[in-house]
Amino acid sequence: MKNHNLEKNDQKSKYIVGIDIGGTKTAVILGDTEVNIIDRIEYSTKEFDKQPMKMINKMIQTIKDVLQNHNITLEEIKSIGISSGGPLDLEKGIILSPPNLPGWNEIPIVDILSNEFNVPVYLENDANASAVAEWNFGSGVGCKNLIFLTFGTGMGAGLILDGKLYRGTNGMAGEVGHIRLAKDGPVGYGKKGSFEGFCSGGGIARLAQIEISKRLANGESVEFCPSFDMLSKITAEDVAVAAQKGDKVALEIIKISAEYLGLALSILIDILNPEKIILGTIFTKNESLFRKIVEEVIKREALEISAGVCKIEPSRLGNKIGDYAALSVALRIGME
């Protein structure tokens, strides 16, 4: 969240830059101050695994290339917004140690970029930024109380409560992926049986490895993963594609994930009484696989009076949510 309070001539500052740092991909987005997307460059985060400075140098060069391609000078850039998975030190502008960014330990990314470009730079948790983006431009427009769940590479929550972004005492509110839902299960956020372990891209892949291993060991056939050699390469997308085709093993894996998703949503509904819970990537792409099971669990587990006023919806911004989130951070839209 840190602001270096660098003076900018607002008449010249027509553009903003957003950086969406995810566990799978990173994108640099050029937009204008009306939050219109002008250009976007994406590359794999995995290419820079455990090499944060190498990836930051890639970010810096990408920003320079995008500005040059559009004949934009630094004097025309109002600010840079960074959306990243947590935990973060928002006050100091430091990426602490996100589970989906191995090797990113206490990286002062705000200082690095502000020193490089001499413009205000802001950092925000990706779930918070995405919640604000959905609140302003997507499924959450008009809501006073909403929860956004990333449900992508990891699982985090952004909370809009009483019409304001809620960060908590030290910016750590919404780290729901760390909540343990079962004594055992796939590991997510460093914890077995966690919400992230059951409900995230990495978690579903690990859940698939567990379930498929059992079946292969018993001599059963698994069409989309017929051998132990393929287990390490299985992804949540592989599971979803197979489930969409009706594969029984894949459907069983999705069912387990969906049941734990419903359980976690029931807890959030009971505690926070939101009017909407908006779900990101995996639910948005595979709503038909999850919704019925999730709703059955909520009906069984959540307080009826609270569940009755809460809608479960996919992200309306879809694949663009990370772009709008990062640009929202740059302009501080709904962040204060």
Side-chain angles (χ1 to χ4, degrees):
M1 190 171 67
K2 190 175 179 182
N3 179 0
H4 279 252
N5 293 318
L6 298 169
E7 292 296 326
K8 297 292 292 180
N9 185 330
D10 287 337
Q11 291 182 339
K12 288 186 177 181
S13 302
K14 301 176 182 178
Y15 304 100
I16 51 176
V17 173
I19 303 172
D20 175 28
I21 305 175
T24 302
K25 56 85 180 171
T26 292
V28 172
I29 308 100
L30 175 66
D32 63 23
T33 53
E34 299 297 317
V35 199
N36 296 305
I37 297 170
I38 297 169
D39 202 352
R40 181 182 187 279
I41 305 294
E42 178 182 315
Y43 49 89
S44 171
T45 305
K46 299 294 186 184
E47 290 180 20
F48 304 93
D49 199 26
K50 298 182 181 179
Q51 302 178 87
M53 291 313 303
K54 189 173 180 180
M55 193 171 104
I56 290 171
N57 288 334
K58 171 73 170 179
M59 279 179 209
I60 289 170
Q61 188 57 52
T62 302
I63 292 171
K64 290 178 178 178
D65 291 343
V66 169
L67 297 184
Q68 185 176 25
N69 291 342
H70 291 272
N71 296 313
I72 296 171
T73 65
L74 283 177
E75 287 70 28
E76 294 177 283
I77 299 299
K78 182 180 181 67
S79 56
I80 296 173
I82 307 163
S83 171
S84 171
L88 312 171
D89 185 327
L90 297 178
E91 187 61 33
K92 295 180 180 178
I94 296 173
I95 296 177
L96 294 175
S97 56
N100 297 318
L101 293 174
W104 287 66
N105 300 317
E106 299 191 11
I107 304 298
I109 192 164
V110 166
D111 281 344
I112 293 170
L113 293 184
S114 60
N115 289 336
E116 178 70 34
F117 293 107
N118 198 37
V119 300
V121 179
Y122 304 96
L123 174 66
E124 188 60 72
N125 178 283
D126 61 350
N128 290 348
S130 295
V132 168
E134 284 289 343
W135 186 32
N136 283 285
F137 309 111
S139 296
V141 172
C143 287
K144 190 176 181 182
N145 298 291
L146 71 86
I147 300 170
F148 174 81
L149 296 173
T150 55
F151 202 1
T153 306
M155 172 60 81
L159 310 174
I160 305 295
L161 304 178
D162 287 332
K164 293 181 180 180
L165 175 63
Y166 179 75
R167 294 188 180 89
T169 302
N170 64 345
M172 291 296 291
E175 294 292 352
V176 296
H178 196 249
I179 296 171
R180 197 188 302 276
L181 298 177
K183 290 183 179 180
D184 201 3
V187 176
Y189 211 144
K191 183 183 284 186
K192 283 187 176 182
S194 64
F195 187 11
E196 185 166 298
F198 286 108
C199 303
S200 68
I204 291 172
R206 286 184 283 274
L207 179 61
Q209 290 166 358
I210 294 168
E211 294 299 317
I212 293 169
S213 290
K214 293 177 185 176
R215 288 164 173 78
L216 293 178
N218 289 333
E220 299 176 37
S221 63
V222 180
E223 186 174 340
F224 69 100
C225 185
S227 70
F228 284 103
D229 293 339
M230 297 177 66
L231 271 177
S232 63
K233 298 179 180 178
I234 202 79
T235 66
E237 185 175 3
D238 295 333
V239 177
V241 169
Q244 293 283 8
K245 294 178 180 178
D247 184 277
K248 290 183 179 179
V249 177
L251 285 169
E252 180 60 29
I253 293 165
I254 293 294
K255 181 182 178 183
I256 295 169
S257 178
E259 286 177 343
Y260 279 104
L261 178 61
L263 176 60
L265 296 190
S266 298
I267 294 169
L268 293 173
I269 288 169
D270 285 352
I271 294 172
L272 296 176
N273 191 204
E275 57 196 289
K276 276 190 184 180
I277 298 178
I278 302 168
L279 292 149
T281 310
I282 293 175
F283 185 86
T284 300
K285 292 180 178 179
N286 302 282
E287 183 179 358
S288 62
L289 295 175
F290 283 89
R291 179 172 285 281
K292 183 179 178 181
I293 299 168
V294 167
E295 289 180 343
E296 287 173 352
V297 175
I298 290 174
K299 186 176 181 179
R300 183 179 72 239
E301 295 289 339
L303 286 166
E304 183 178 355
I305 193 170
S306 298
V309 297
C310 180
K311 295 180 179 179
I312 309 298
E313 294 190 3
S315 164
R316 188 179 298 170
L317 297 178
N319 291 334
K320 292 184 178 181
I321 188 166
D323 301 348
Y324 282 101
L327 294 178
S328 295
V329 175
L331 286 180
R332 311 306 300 146
I333 297 174
M335 302 288 172
E336 304 302 339

